[in-house]
Amino acid sequence: MKVVSLPDRLGNCLQHENLAEFFPQNYFPLLGEEAVRVLQAVVDSLRGGLDCSVSFVSQVLGKVCVYGRQKEILGVLVPRLTALTQGSCLWQRVCWRLLECVPDRAVEAVLTGLVEAAPGPEVLSRLLGNLVMKSKKAQFVMTQKLLFLQYRFTTPVLQSLLGYLAMDSQRRPLLVQALKELLETWGSSSAIRHAPLPQQCYVSKAVLICLAHLGDMELQDSRDELLASLMAGVKCRLDSSLPAVRRLGMIVAEVASARIHPEGPPLKFQYVEDELSREMLALATPQPAADSPLETGPSVAAEIPDKQTVGGGVPQVPPQGSDSELDSDDEFVPYDMSGDQELKSGKVPMYIRDCLEALTTSEDWERWEAALQALEGLVFRSPAATREVSVELAKVLLHLEEKTSVVGFEGLRQRALVAVTVTDPARVAEYLTSQFYAINYSLRQRMDILDVLTLAAQELSRPGRLGRASPCGSLGAASQPRCAGAASWRAVVDERIRGKTRRFSKGASRQGPAGSPNEFNSVAGYFFFPLIQGFDRPLVTFDLLGDDQLVLGKLVHTLGILMYLAVNTTVAVSMGKALLEFVWALRFHGDTYVRRGLLSAVSCVLLSVPAERLLEDLPDELLEARSWLADVAEKDPDEDCRMLAVKALLLLEKLKDKLLPLSSP
């Protein structure tokens, strides 16, 4: 204790007059160098036939590591011991004895620092030996605590740890057992719901590293148990609403199934490759040895002669006047075809009802495609005609399936449905919200309904929407020259006016957007209240509170967006109260995506409802939400949920600070 606490004692006594050698950052490396000198004396005594003990050095090392100075002392010890144990069995035995004599209360701190400081599994094996087979405490730390209870280590550290278990035949059963427990944890539904995403990535990497180290015979002995854990984990992860969790399940499932059950059909998934996925796939490939034939690949490739050379190494020169030179067309300038358009035999529909007929009954696929492409522009150009058939048109678009390979089919369909909803918001929103809870709809269609309602609400609440020129840009190619001509004519007139006008002082060149009423004000209830009413009524093929948690998360996010877009509307208070009750009913939901949506919804309520109305109409709901947000900010396993809870708490504090001056006399 006195050796380790000497810097603190001297610092307390000498204050500013303390010597630089006794600063912690200088003292503990010096202590490491002295420990190496002591071990050198021990080795020399053993070579002379004398008995020695390293228990005091072990106790000092353990105390320093418990004290939190692993990096300083091990930064000196590990490189020196790595070099000294390279070719000396006596030094290896001294190192093993040094670590075996570390007190149990300091084993975790010493091993954690040693695993981080060791440059690779070979060095770790030389320094530790078979310590995990002799000490139960060391075995628990290396196979349990560093794999399951901590996840702050980098990928090279994890490779060193598992590579150490794989380097000796006596330790390999521990690696097999670790793989079983890792896959069991990886496939646990409770762990997927409650473990943070960085920890799930850490466990997934550990699984892939174990699979890379184990041989086929070792895996075959535990095939049934490993496959059961793997399949359970794949199901739970593919059911998750977080894309990152699903991607982890796909990557690990592909690699593990190929290793555990190589003779079966391989699992293949489609996922977007990113840096993490490429890193994990690289972990599943065993690293080639130094004398592997793979390393001779570049030199072999360099010896392959160029096909432009002949046997003597002389480049082959084509004869002058050859056919290849005479037939060359390099001197011709390529024709500009950027403005060309595809000629189509079908006629573009000019009316809404023609588009409706083409989409429902036409067998002419060119006419069907032309109707779909022209529909958005026709809806904006003919709002009165659209309102006559708006519900029928929304029904057709909602059930529309891609019959031909139309480029951007989903985007065309969605934009047309949004245009219809914006043109006749009350009736179409009422129809779409009623179909969201209807039977015989797929999950994709229900999520399409939520996307359309969100985009339509954003368009309706946008300031200056009526003065925009978007219908001109959304019509067919026939109307584009007219729009371009009108724009050029107005630009010429404005330029003439500016040129002939004399100004003595020039202010801001751009005016702010003109004020206009929020069109979403009168129809917000049609979008919001039908969606929030039936979430707790399960259907035969649709259960939001059961397996369809992905759609529930989408619904929660949609309700929050609708609440935010209803700012300063007359129905905002009623919407806020209903949304807070909805949040309160689902506040303990196990899915991370749903909890993120709930926390975002609370922030939307605080931003959209006037502060005075919040305290007048929703005081109890705010008090309940405050205690829940504080609990989430402290205990939720997901980092994004904690951040969203903190942001909502800050909004509550701003609300309180804003109203306190008003309430003071």
Side-chain angles (χ1 to χ4, degrees):
M1 173 64 75
K2 290 185 178 180
V3 170
V4 175
S5 61
L6 183 60
D8 292 341
R9 292 172 181 267
L10 290 177
N12 291 333
C13 295
L14 301 178
Q15 298 294 329
H16 297 288
E17 298 178 359
N18 193 9
L19 297 177
E21 288 80 0
F22 295 103
F23 291 166
Q25 62 270 25
N26 299 327
Y27 175 77
F28 290 105
L30 177 62
L31 191 61
E33 293 176 0
E34 295 301 320
V36 174
R37 289 181 58 188
V38 172
L39 294 177
Q40 181 66 60
V42 169
V43 171
D44 294 340
S45 299
L46 291 175
R47 285 172 178 164
L50 300 177
D51 293 335
C52 295
S53 173
V54 294
S55 59
F56 181 74
V57 183
S58 301
Q59 293 179 20
V60 172
L61 176 61
K63 198 66 179 178
V64 171
C65 292
V66 170
Y67 200 66
R69 295 291 178 176
Q70 298 105 316
K71 290 185 178 180
E72 287 84 352
I73 191 168
L74 292 176
V76 174
L77 275 177
V78 171
R80 296 289 300 276
L81 294 178
T82 300
L84 292 170
T85 57
Q86 180 72 35
S88 175
C89 296
L90 185 57
W91 266 103
Q92 292 184 17
R93 293 186 61 186
V94 170
C95 289
W96 299 347
R97 189 61 181 170
L98 174 69
L99 296 172
E100 290 172 8
C101 294
V102 172
D104 285 348
R105 63 181 178 274
V107 167
E108 180 182 349
V110 173
L111 289 180
T112 301
L114 197 61
V115 169
E116 289 185 290
E122 298 84 1
V123 175
L124 198 60
S125 181
R126 288 207 308 268
L127 298 181
L128 291 180
N130 282 335
L131 180 64
V132 292
M133 307 303 297
K134 301 176 182 178
S135 171
K136 292 295 183 183
K137 179 71 174 180
Q139 181 176 332
F140 173 76
V141 171
M142 297 289 282
T143 61
Q144 297 292 325
K145 200 140 192 186
L146 300 185
L147 292 179
F148 298 98
L149 302 181
Q150 297 184 13
Y151 54 93
R152 62 181 177 86
F153 302 113
T154 61
T155 302
V157 173
L158 190 59
Q159 288 177 307
S160 296
L161 170 61
L162 296 172
Y164 161 74
L165 297 177
M167 288 197 68
D168 190 84
S169 58
Q170 297 182 13
R171 301 193 294 262
R172 290 186 73 86
L174 295 179
L175 184 64
V176 176
Q177 183 62 29
L179 175 60
K180 293 179 182 178
E181 296 177 358
L182 284 168
L183 265 181
E184 184 179 356
T185 302
W186 184 84
S188 172
S189 59
S190 177
I192 295 173
R193 287 196 305 268
H194 299 103
L197 186 59
Q199 186 174 11
Q200 298 188 38
C201 293
Y202 185 81
V203 172
S204 300
K205 291 178 181 178
V207 170
L208 296 181
I209 295 172
C210 289
L211 291 172
H213 283 296
L214 291 174
D216 294 337
M217 295 302 299
E218 294 169 309
L219 293 174
Q220 294 305 317
D221 295 338
S222 307
R223 171 192 286 185
D224 296 337
E225 184 177 353
L226 296 176
L227 276 179
S229 301
L230 176 66
M231 292 299 106
V234 171
K235 180 182 182 303
C236 295
R237 290 184 178 276
L238 293 183
D239 289 341
S240 175
S241 54
L242 298 179
V245 177
R246 294 198 297 270
R247 191 182 300 117
L248 284 178
M250 296 176 188
I251 296 172
V252 176
E254 285 185 356
V255 176
S257 62
R259 288 299 319 278
I260 299 173
H261 196 260
E263 63 273 10
L267 292 178
K268 290 295 181 182
F269 298 94
Q270 293 182 350
Y271 52 86
V272 179
E273 288 192 4
D274 56 359
E275 184 178 355
L276 177 62
S277 62
R278 288 189 288 269
E279 178 188 1
M280 296 186 65
L281 291 175
L283 292 177
T285 305
Q287 296 294 329
D291 55 352
S292 173
L294 293 177
E295 297 192 359
T296 62
S299 60
V300 174
E303 295 176 1
I304 299 177
D306 187 9
K307 62 182 180 180
Q308 294 285 335
T309 63
V310 293
V314 181
Q316 183 177 1
V317 180
Q320 296 184 0
S322 61
D323 294 340
S324 59
E325 183 180 351
L326 294 176
D327 294 341
S328 175
D329 54 357
D330 294 340
E331 68 274 10
F332 295 109
V333 179
Y335 187 74
D336 184 13
M337 303 178 64
S338 58
D340 290 3
Q341 296 182 357
E342 183 181 357
L343 295 178
K344 297 182 178 180
S345 58
K347 187 178 180 181
V348 178
M350 300 298 296
Y351 301 99
I352 294 293
R353 293 187 180 274
D354 293 342
C355 287
L356 186 61
E357 180 185 357
L359 293 176
T360 53
T361 61
S362 177
E363 295 295 335
D364 185 356
W365 303 127
E366 289 190 1
R367 184 167 178 259
W368 183 88
E369 181 178 345
L372 181 61
Q373 293 175 345
L375 183 56
E376 181 187 5
L378 291 175
V379 168
F380 283 123
R381 191 175 62 182
S382 307
T386 302
R387 293 188 187 98
E388 296 178 0
V389 293
S390 58
V391 176
E392 184 179 357
L393 190 58
K395 182 179 180 180
V396 170
L397 290 172
L398 184 61
H399 293 83
L400 193 65
E401 296 180 356
E402 185 176 6
K403 298 180 179 179
T404 60
S405 299
V406 182
V407 178
F409 168 77
E410 292 295 337
L412 292 171
R413 172 174 164 268
Q414 185 185 72
R415 289 197 299 271
L417 198 49
V418 170
V420 174
T421 308
V422 170
T423 304
D424 192 6
R427 295 174 58 198
V428 177
E430 185 177 4
Y431 167 74
L432 291 177
T433 52
S434 65
Q435 298 305 301
F436 180 76
Y437 289 107
I439 59 175
N440 297 330
Y441 278 92
S442 64
L443 298 182
R444 180 69 265 172
Q445 287 175 309
R446 300 182 199 275
M447 296 179 71
D448 288 342
I449 290 174
L450 296 177
D451 290 335
V452 168
L453 292 174
T454 301
L455 294 173
Q458 289 177 345
E459 181 67 20
L460 290 171
S461 62
R462 188 163 61 87
R465 191 187 71 84
L466 294 178
R468 67 181 176 88
S470 62
C472 182
S474 301
L475 301 178
S479 60
Q480 290 181 359
R482 181 177 61 183
C483 295
S488 61
W489 170 82
R490 188 174 300 276
V492 171
V493 172
D494 292 342
E495 182 65 27
R496 288 179 179 177
I497 293 175
R498 282 195 299 270
K500 295 180 178 296
T501 303
R502 184 180 179 185
R503 294 181 174 85
F504 295 99
S505 63
K506 190 174 182 180
S509 60
R510 295 183 60 184
Q511 297 181 355
S516 60
N518 187 350
E519 293 185 63
F520 190 56
N521 179 20
S522 58
V523 295
Y526 294 98
F527 284 71
F528 184 84
F529 291 108
L531 285 180
I532 207 171
Q533 288 177 353
F535 74 96
D536 56 346
R537 303 169 190 169
L539 301 176
V540 178
T541 58
F542 187 49
D543 186 7
L544 284 177
L545 300 183
D547 296 334
D548 300 324
Q549 53 194 8
L550 177 61
V551 185
L552 177 62
K554 185 75 173 179
L555 172 63
V556 176
H557 283 82
T558 301
L559 292 173
I561 294 173
L562 295 177
M563 181 74 247
Y564 180 75
L565 296 175
V567 60
N568 298 327
T569 60
T570 56
V571 75
V573 179
S574 301
M575 291 173 61
K577 186 172 184 178
L579 187 54
L580 285 180
E581 293 177 354
F582 174 78
V583 170
W584 194 250
L586 298 174
R587 65 190 184 279
F588 296 123
H589 199 279
D591 187 74
T592 304
Y593 183 56
V594 175
R595 293 200 307 276
R596 291 178 185 175
L598 295 174
L599 294 166
S600 301
V602 173
S603 298
C604 292
V605 172
L606 298 176
L607 291 171
S608 301
V609 181
E612 297 80 3
R613 299 299 304 274
L614 278 173
L615 292 184
E616 289 177 6
D617 300 343
L618 308 173
D620 297 335
E621 287 84 352
L622 289 181
L623 289 176
E624 293 174 345
R626 181 184 179 86
S627 61
W628 170 62
L629 290 172
D631 186 67
V632 171
E634 182 181 359
K635 300 178 181 178
D636 197 284
D638 184 68
E639 182 180 359
D640 291 339
C641 288
R642 295 195 299 269
M643 186 181 302
L644 290 171
V646 170
K647 291 181 179 179
L649 286 172
L650 291 176
L651 289 176
L652 276 175
E653 290 297 323
K654 290 182 180 179
L655 178 67
K656 183 183 70 173
D657 297 340
K658 179 181 178 181
L659 293 179
L660 278 179
L662 299 177
S663 60
S664 60

